[in-house]
Amino acid sequence: MREARFYTTSADYVYQDLRHRIITKQLQPGQRLPEVNIAVQMGVSRTPVREALRRLASEGLVTIIPNSGARLACPSQKEMENAYVLREHLECLAIRLAAERISERQLRRLEDSVIEEERAFHERDLKLYLEVNENFHRTIAESSGNRILAEYVENILARTNVYIVFYDPFYDIDTNPSIPQHRAIIAALAERSPEKAEALMREHLRFSMEGLQLPKEPEEF
Amino acid sequence: MREARFYTTSADYVYQDLRHRIITKQLQPGQRLPEVNIAVQMGVSRTPVREALRRLASEGLVTIIPNSGARLACPSQKEMENAYVLREHLECLAIRLAAERISERQLRRLEDSVIEEERAFHERDLKLYLEVNENFHRTIAESSGNRILAEYVENILARTNVYIVFYDPFYDIDTNPSIPQHRAIIAALAERSPEKAEALMREHLRFSMEGLQLPKEPEEF
DNA sequence: GAATCGTTTGTTGTGTGCAACCTAACCGCG
DNA sequence: CGCGGTTAGGTTGCACACAACAAACGATTC
């Protein structure tokens, strides 16, 4: 049962719940998403469902064909590579800026994130891990002082995290070097070194992309 | 009168028409946008208007406060600077990639754009100029071969173009060096020189940002 | 047997009504 | 005269109904 009005609007509730279902693999890539099905499952009307689907579409997580309907995204290998190229550039730009102006408070938030991340690792909680990981990267983006850049980072982050869920089903939580890498990044930020922070971030992202077992290319015109 | 069914859906029609009204200064920054007003003006119901407003919100052109309504964006100086920083990075990345893989067909499209641009200049048609200018930059982004990057460029382009309309009311169409700059960029792309193309693009964007007479900072917490 | 056209079913697009909410003006009270 | 509470107006949020469209199936014809 959903918590009593923890969300401001029904549309927002549906949006968050759909993202939750994607992260927890209750939905498959490419799957059709008829509005009525979702509406009755969530106990709302089609109107807020439509709104949530459009929002997910603007983030690239679902594709909507007019008069045909919505499907969960089904990213090709090329698309994922493209997304990672973009993510690398955006996050490297963000961390360069962040290294010069991050506050103590934000540094503490980053450290807290890593502690939470360790907990997620020990409990083998992929959903919590993705959430905390997202927080870590989002905090850095916000620390850049460029709010629009932070928005874009959040967007590309949502996409690539979904790719991980889709195509990294046996994500090895034990050998994953994410935590030490995150710690190194925090250290570089703490000593206000843009070059070092950027290099570490780049390496971190390259590594996480290589973890993906990319599917065979289904695209062909 | 709107052309007979040139748009696939009413929501799309409302979306395009709202953008048109923004470009032609029929709407002021910060202005309230009540759904019913727009609906009756465009001869549709509130439903497609809602959808169009959400879409504009996802592009940063309007801000929506739940239970309160939508207003046209009212960007601060800092926000515009941030947007331009981001735009510069995204477009420079795109043109570097484009220089190595642009097709003859795409090069011809760029040349056509510049010719159209000249026409807009001679006719002092700001709206046409902005449209053609957008086409020019969009074509380059698409030529990068990274579709997601192209999406992001298109998004940031929409924002910054709106900023021009808002804050550059006496845009001097005569002394504007945009056309020779665009020609130089095409030449660099034609000879497949990523470094030269990027440098020219960076200079071009810096110049167009400086043209903005930025408003006084209304932001203060 | 294959192809084409009509029908049918399921899904989306849009209009509309009602309830909840926010805002602002107004009135009464200190 | 100023301030707080109340009320009225306007706007959004959501549910529901109907219309339009698309894809799938089946029937009919060549």
Side-chain angles (χ1 to χ4, degrees):
Chain A
M1 216 37 67
R2 78 213 54 153
E3 359 271 299
R5 282 303 120 81
F6 190 60
Y7 306 96
T8 58
T9 70
S10 291
D12 195 52
Y13 166 68
V14 174
Y15 168 78
Q16 307 239 23
D17 198 85
L18 279 176
R19 285 200 58 174
H20 175 81
R21 289 186 193 207
I22 295 171
I23 298 293
T24 55
K25 292 189 230 254
Q26 295 176 254
L27 299 173
Q28 297 295 317
Q31 182 180 344
R32 292 192 54 193
L33 301 171
E35 295 171 1
V36 275
N37 289 15
I38 300 170
V40 297
Q41 278 182 43
M42 303 209 185
V44 297
S45 82
R46 279 175 53 213
T47 311
V49 173
R50 278 178 74 81
E51 195 178 317
L53 287 174
R54 309 285 156 155
R55 204 160 140 199
L56 288 166
S58 82
E59 297 177 358
L61 267 54
V62 319
T63 56
I64 291 176
I65 301 169
N67 278 316
S68 172
R71 325 183 73 101
L72 197 52
C74 190
S76 65
Q77 171 167 357
K78 188 165 169 43
E79 205 171 324
M80 295 201 287
E81 285 170 1
N82 283 342
Y84 260 98
V85 167
L86 190 52
R87 177 172 169 185
E88 188 181 309
H89 277 269
L90 288 175
E91 287 218 61
C92 284
L93 169 59
I95 203 168
R96 273 203 306 278
L97 297 171
E100 289 176 343
R101 62 191 311 289
I102 193 167
S103 68
E104 293 303 319
R105 190 187 147 88
Q106 287 164 328
L107 277 170
R108 277 200 303 279
R109 275 190 61 189
L110 289 177
E111 280 158 11
D112 292 345
S113 289
V114 177
I115 291 170
E116 270 288 288
E117 212 176 336
E118 278 183 323
R119 199 163 68 81
F121 263 42
H122 289 135
E123 296 175 7
R124 306 278 191 278
D125 187 340
L126 178 60
K127 182 185 176 304
L128 178 62
Y129 166 72
L130 286 171
E131 235 165 51
V132 172
N133 181 57
E134 213 168 304
N135 263 327
F136 179 86
H137 288 270
R138 185 190 296 123
T139 300
I140 291 176
E142 285 169 2
S143 304
S144 74
N146 187 328
R147 202 179 300 177
I148 301 182
L149 172 58
E151 272 177 43
Y152 280 56
V153 168
E154 190 160 352
N155 193 294
I156 197 74
L157 211 57
R159 292 190 193 223
T160 50
N161 274 346
V162 167
Y163 297 165
I164 290 177
V165 173
F166 282 169
Y167 298 124
D168 212 347
F170 306 111
Y171 193 69
D172 190 352
I173 215 160
D174 294 309
T175 65
N176 187 292
S178 183
I179 288 180
Q181 285 177 354
H182 280 185
R183 285 202 195 286
I185 288 171
I186 294 176
L189 287 173
E191 62 182 76
R192 263 76 181 162
S193 168
E195 296 80 14
K196 203 189 252 183
E198 181 183 352
L200 288 167
M201 176 65 88
R202 177 163 282 125
E203 188 187 9
H204 172 54
L205 292 176
R206 294 256 165 96
F207 195 97
S208 92
M209 177 174 60
E210 277 164 22
L212 292 179
Q213 306 141 6
L214 298 168
K216 44 215 160 301
E217 182 75 38
E219 242 178 0
E220 196 73 39
F221 284 104
Chain B
M1 216 40 63
R2 78 213 55 152
E3 0 271 299
R5 279 303 118 81
F6 191 59
Y7 307 96
T8 58
T9 69
S10 293
D12 196 52
Y13 166 68
V14 174
Y15 168 78
Q16 306 235 27
D17 197 85
L18 279 175
R19 284 198 59 174
H20 174 81
R21 290 186 192 207
I22 295 172
I23 297 293
T24 54
K25 295 191 228 253
Q26 294 176 255
L27 300 172
Q28 296 297 317
Q31 181 180 344
R32 292 193 56 191
L33 301 171
E35 296 171 0
V36 276
N37 289 14
I38 301 169
V40 297
Q41 277 182 44
M42 304 209 185
V44 298
S45 81
R46 280 176 51 217
T47 311
V49 174
R50 281 176 71 81
E51 194 176 316
L53 286 175
R54 309 287 157 156
R55 202 160 140 201
L56 289 166
S58 82
E59 296 178 359
L61 267 53
V62 317
T63 55
I64 291 176
I65 301 170
N67 279 316
S68 173
R71 325 184 73 103
L72 197 52
C74 189
S76 65
Q77 172 166 359
K78 189 166 170 39
E79 205 170 324
M80 296 201 285
E81 285 171 1
N82 283 341
Y84 260 98
V85 167
L86 190 51
R87 177 171 169 185
E88 186 181 312
H89 277 268
L90 288 175
E91 288 217 62
C92 285
L93 170 59
I95 203 169
R96 274 202 307 275
L97 297 171
E100 290 176 342
R101 63 193 309 292
I102 192 168
S103 68
E104 293 305 318
R105 189 186 148 89
Q106 286 163 328
L107 277 172
R108 275 200 304 278
R109 276 189 60 190
L110 289 178
E111 279 157 13
D112 291 345
S113 289
V114 177
I115 291 169
E116 271 287 289
E117 213 176 335
E118 277 182 325
R119 199 163 68 81
F121 263 42
H122 288 135
E123 296 177 6
R124 305 277 191 280
D125 187 339
L126 179 60
K127 181 186 176 305
L128 179 62
Y129 165 70
L130 286 171
E131 233 165 53
V132 172
N133 182 58
E134 213 168 304
N135 263 328
F136 180 85
H137 288 271
R138 186 190 294 124
T139 301
I140 292 176
E142 284 168 3
S143 304
S144 73
N146 186 329
R147 201 178 302 177
I148 300 183
L149 172 59
E151 273 177 42
Y152 280 54
V153 168
E154 189 160 355
N155 194 292
I156 197 74
L157 211 56
R159 292 191 194 223
T160 50
N161 273 348
V162 167
Y163 297 165
I164 290 176
V165 174
F166 282 169
Y167 298 122
D168 212 346
F170 305 112
Y171 193 68
D172 189 353
I173 215 159
D174 295 308
T175 66
N176 188 292
S178 185
I179 288 181
Q181 285 177 356
H182 281 185
R183 286 203 194 286
I185 288 171
I186 294 176
L189 286 173
E191 61 183 77
R192 263 78 180 160
S193 169
E195 295 80 15
K196 203 189 247 180
E198 181 183 351
L200 288 168
M201 176 65 89
R202 175 162 285 127
E203 189 187 7
H204 173 53
L205 292 175
R206 293 257 165 97
F207 196 97
S208 91
M209 177 173 62
E210 277 165 22
L212 293 178
Q213 305 141 7
L214 297 167
K216 42 210 162 301
E217 181 76 38
E219 242 179 2
E220 196 72 38
F221 284 104

